[in-house]
Amino acid sequence: MADLRTLLETRLAEAFATLSPGADPVVRPSDRADFQANGALALAKSLGRSPRQVADEVVAAANLEDLCSVVEVSGPGFINLTLSEAFLAGRLAEMAADPRLGVARAEEPRRVVVDYSHPNVAKEMHVGHLRTTIIGDALSRVLDFCGHEVIRENHIGDWGTPFGMLIEHLVNLGETEAAQELSVGDLDTFYRQARVSFDADETFRERSRHRVVLLQSGDAETLRLWRVLVGESLRYFDEVYAKLGVLLTDEDVVGESFYNPQLTDVMAEFEAKGLLVESEGAQCVFPEGFVTRDGDPLPLIVQKSDGGFGYAATDLAAIRDRVGRLGADVLLYVVGAPQEQHLAMCFAVARMAGWLGEGAEAEHVAFGNVLGPDRKMFKTRAGTTVKLVALLDEAVARAADVLSERSQDLPAALHEKVARAVGIGAVKYADLSTERTRDYIFDWDRMLAFEGNTGPYLQYAHARICSIFRRAGAAPASGRPIIGEAAERDLALGHAGFADAVDSVVRDRAPSRLTSYLFDLASTFTTFYENCPVLRAEGEVRSSRLLLCSLTASVLSAGLGLLGIEAPQQM
Ligand code: ARG
């Protein structure tokens, strides 16, 4: 099933083509009707004719009888489209019978790498990893649902000079002790103490430097110790992922170390393509259009003057690997806005090397910051970074309190499970419902409120519908609804917009499109429920309204599911 907008667009495109081949109908949702086609204005201009006349001719040529009850030209030449009740009813019947709720699979499935979460080994996962993890996960779910082939890659920081110091600290502590500290998530203490020893103790510094050399030359014992560090950190990350309910597993980990053996090939390829320029002893590539503050060409340093490789080299190897080995055609980097220049330069260099361009493209899916109530970076009261686990535990505890207060009917056995769904759901929803590139203030009361555009509000709307069915003693209905009342029509139109909402998440890489849609749908449902009695109705009106309820619940739970948020049946 194509989404409504595409359906109308296809039909109108045929009519536009009778005037000029390939003219774009430009169909948009509208306040005046259900949809509006604005393409006549541009076409009239290019034909040198009156827009109203063009619009009239398009309307005369268009075949929309089975879709629309009213098609009229308004204003300077807009075409207003009102869907017919019969069409909407048929559409809903199809949706109700379709496990995909009318969301089509992509006609041209892409192979998409989603690079997200990417914490660093032996470093705490803090609130800074929240957005990448939540947004990356939601995008992965939606892309997958839309029929794309998703490859999740967790590009963890597990290589580089700090590992000399970290391994030496591990040796100092003793492996058992160190493993213990790391696996319970005392990553920051571990890292900080390693740093303290490094700064204070010359022999420790010496040992650390030597350790880096051993690590890079593949010394077996050093690699074993390194694996202890990585393994314990991963165990801890997995705990955070389990709490958060995201898809990432150890199988998705493709850390910086993975690319280490490929770096010489990358260098050789750059060399062969004549891209390398030596600058102050370092091997660099100068992508066009990047300049320093003084206006000089800005290099991307691929190999440092001491022969070492850095973050950029790894990212270049990653692009080459993702396109070459994995055959990906889209690379999404769900990474904070501050890395914009780094990524843009890597993409530009990859284009120079011929890895990106035709066939494969890379995109920085940037996001804004999480702020505290003071509008500064979100910190603890003591001014330290907020540990992600602590934050998630607090979310669940607060949700449990809210539920104890509000939901006396909730069976005790379900309390803990629902508190987890609501607490984690609230954190995820607050994040996803913020327009991706904007900052947001982390505010417990707002995100846990049962009113407004929040996770709990939508979960509650869903649970309330489930309770209608418990009271009705009826299984969720199927069939074809009768669309009589205005509130029924609005709700039906809401349902029919699901596919377009899902599609726009993919198109704009914007989960907030789906949250806005779900929030609107829940509000439309409330109006419907206030105006149209369901259980007190009779006969086919009752079944029809039960069907509308059931479809609302399905769309809410599927929509929340695509965002990685649970929809409990009871709350
Ligand atoms: N580990 C890095 C950091 O914490 C983020 C990695 C982002 N992904 C990438 N391919 N560069 O800053």
Side-chain angles (χ1 to χ4, degrees):
M1 243 192 279
D3 62 87
L4 291 183
R5 211 183 46 83
T6 312
L7 194 60
L8 291 166
E9 203 156 57
T10 315
R11 292 290 184 85
L12 279 167
E14 292 164 16
F16 272 83
T18 60
L19 277 87
S20 165
D24 183 356
V26 194
V27 177
R28 300 269 176 274
S30 156
D31 296 335
R32 277 177 252 182
D34 296 334
F35 288 89
Q36 196 176 330
N38 301 340
L41 281 76
L43 179 56
K45 203 167 181 193
S46 73
L47 297 177
R49 298 183 44 196
S50 126
R52 271 199 83 101
Q53 226 175 37
V54 169
D56 282 332
E57 279 175 41
V58 167
V59 168
N63 167 22
L64 293 164
E65 259 105 278
D66 55 332
L67 306 182
C68 297
S69 52
V70 184
V71 180
E72 59 187 6
V73 176
S74 83
F78 304 126
I79 302 170
N80 291 344
L81 304 155
T82 303
L83 297 166
S84 73
E85 272 81 53
F87 167 71
L88 279 174
R91 181 85 183 180
L92 260 56
E94 280 175 52
M95 264 182 91
D98 176 7
R100 300 182 53 81
L101 295 167
V103 180
R105 280 199 179 75
E107 268 163 40
E108 290 169 35
R110 321 285 302 269
R111 186 174 290 183
V112 188
V113 166
V114 186
D115 181 325
Y116 71 105
S117 191
H118 34 61
N120 298 314
V121 163
K123 273 205 191 162
E124 187 56 52
M125 274 185 91
H126 54 81
V127 61
H129 296 102
L130 190 68
R131 298 211 73 185
T132 167
T133 308
I134 293 176
I135 296 170
D137 206 62
L139 289 178
S140 298
R141 287 175 199 259
V142 174
L143 284 162
D144 174 72
F145 185 67
C146 291
H148 298 286
E149 192 186 335
V150 176
I151 305 174
R152 292 181 296 275
E153 292 219 323
N154 194 354
H155 191 95
I156 63 168
D158 63 353
W159 200 251
T161 40
F163 281 85
M165 151 191 117
L166 291 167
I167 291 172
E168 284 309 319
H169 184 58
L170 179 117
V171 171
N172 274 3
L173 275 181
E175 272 175 63
T176 335
E177 178 67 38
Q180 167 70 10
E181 204 169 284
L182 290 169
S183 64
V184 298
D186 237 341
L187 273 60
D188 274 352
T189 314
F190 187 91
Y191 200 97
R192 218 171 329 115
Q193 284 173 352
R195 215 26 307 149
V196 166
S197 308
F198 190 86
D199 290 340
D201 179 353
E202 175 57 36
T203 47
F204 185 86
R205 252 195 318 271
E206 233 0 270
R207 273 166 52 201
S208 300
R209 288 200 194 100
H210 182 58
R211 200 50 101 165
V212 177
V213 178
L214 286 175
L215 183 64
Q216 257 145 9
S217 61
D219 170 64
E221 171 63 6
T222 302
L223 281 175
R224 190 186 66 76
L225 292 167
W226 171 76
R227 269 187 220 108
V228 173
L229 275 179
V230 176
E232 294 301 334
S233 298
L234 277 183
R235 199 132 59 117
Y236 175 68
F237 297 154
D238 285 343
E239 257 171 60
V240 179
Y241 294 148
K243 269 195 190 167
L244 200 49
V246 291
L247 300 168
L248 289 168
T249 68
D250 287 351
E251 246 128 78
D252 306 315
V253 172
V254 192
E256 293 179 13
S257 63
F258 176 83
Y259 303 100
N260 197 43
Q262 305 177 15
L263 297 176
T264 41
D265 287 354
V266 169
M267 287 305 283
E269 199 172 328
F270 282 154
E271 181 75 65
K273 291 179 171 159
L275 299 178
L276 292 177
V277 178
E278 200 185 304
S279 170
E280 291 168 31
Q283 294 295 327
C284 304
V285 182
F286 286 87
E288 216 175 289
F290 294 89
V291 287
T292 65
R293 230 173 287 159
D294 302 331
D296 297 327
L298 184 67
L300 187 68
I301 301 175
V302 189
Q303 188 169 24
K304 292 179 277 189
S305 54
D306 66 1
F309 294 102
Y311 190 52
T314 311
D315 259 323
L316 290 167
I319 297 173
R320 181 173 169 271
D321 186 68
R322 288 165 182 182
V323 175
R325 181 178 62 93
L326 297 174
D329 30 34
V330 182
L331 313 181
L332 298 183
Y333 288 75
V334 189
V335 179
Q339 294 198 34
E340 169 169 11
Q341 175 166 282
H342 160 76
L343 289 172
M345 290 183 83
C346 288
F347 299 164
V349 170
R351 249 176 266 123
M352 292 164 78
W355 305 330
L356 293 176
E358 314 263 299
E361 48 192 292
E363 239 179 275
H364 181 194
V365 181
F367 50 82
N369 296 311
V370 183
L371 307 178
D374 56 356
R375 299 188 160 269
K376 302 222 176 81
M377 290 303 253
F378 189 39
K379 290 264 160 68
T380 61
R381 243 171 253 192
T384 56
T385 52
V386 180
K387 270 190 170 206
L388 198 44
V389 228
L391 194 84
L392 299 178
D393 289 343
E394 182 167 354
V396 175
R398 282 177 181 261
D401 289 347
V402 173
L403 287 173
S404 310
E405 217 170 279
R406 294 194 51 122
S407 311
Q408 271 89 16
D409 302 343
L410 186 66
L414 289 178
H415 202 276
E416 203 185 310
K417 196 170 170 322
V418 175
R420 225 177 309 128
V422 172
I424 301 297
V427 171
K428 285 187 171 179
Y429 193 90
D431 195 297
L432 295 170
S433 59
T434 307
E435 224 177 284
R436 183 164 53 71
T437 51
R438 300 208 0 213
D439 297 345
Y440 73 91
I441 293 176
F442 197 92
D443 178 343
W444 287 118
D445 293 334
R446 231 196 77 205
M447 65 177 72
L448 281 163
F450 275 52
E451 295 82 35
N453 189 10
T454 70
Y457 170 71
L458 290 179
Q459 288 172 321
Y460 185 68
H462 171 262
R464 205 171 46 154
I465 301 174
C466 294
S467 84
I468 297 173
F469 284 96
R470 275 195 298 277
R471 272 183 288 146
S478 65
R480 188 185 164 97
I482 307 159
I483 297 169
E485 308 281 329
E488 290 174 314
R489 188 181 189 284
D490 288 345
L491 185 57
L493 193 64
H495 290 143
F498 183 52
D500 195 27
V502 172
D503 196 51
S504 62
V505 174
V506 173
R507 219 173 33 234
D508 304 334
R509 320 294 190 214
S512 62
R513 297 276 184 278
L514 186 52
T515 60
S516 306
Y517 164 81
L518 293 172
F519 177 57
D520 286 346
L521 183 70
S523 314
T524 311
F525 178 80
T526 304
T527 311
F528 158 80
Y529 200 61
E530 280 164 7
N531 288 285
C532 304
V534 176
L535 295 180
R536 275 180 290 117
E538 277 167 19
E540 52 182 17
V541 173
R542 188 178 195 261
S543 348
S544 164
R545 290 184 179 165
L546 278 172
L547 174 62
L548 291 175
C549 290
S550 145
L551 204 49
T552 308
S554 305
V555 171
L556 288 177
S557 112
L560 288 171
L562 286 174
L563 299 169
I565 297 173
E566 286 175 61
Q569 305 253 339
Q570 268 174 283
M571 249 172 89

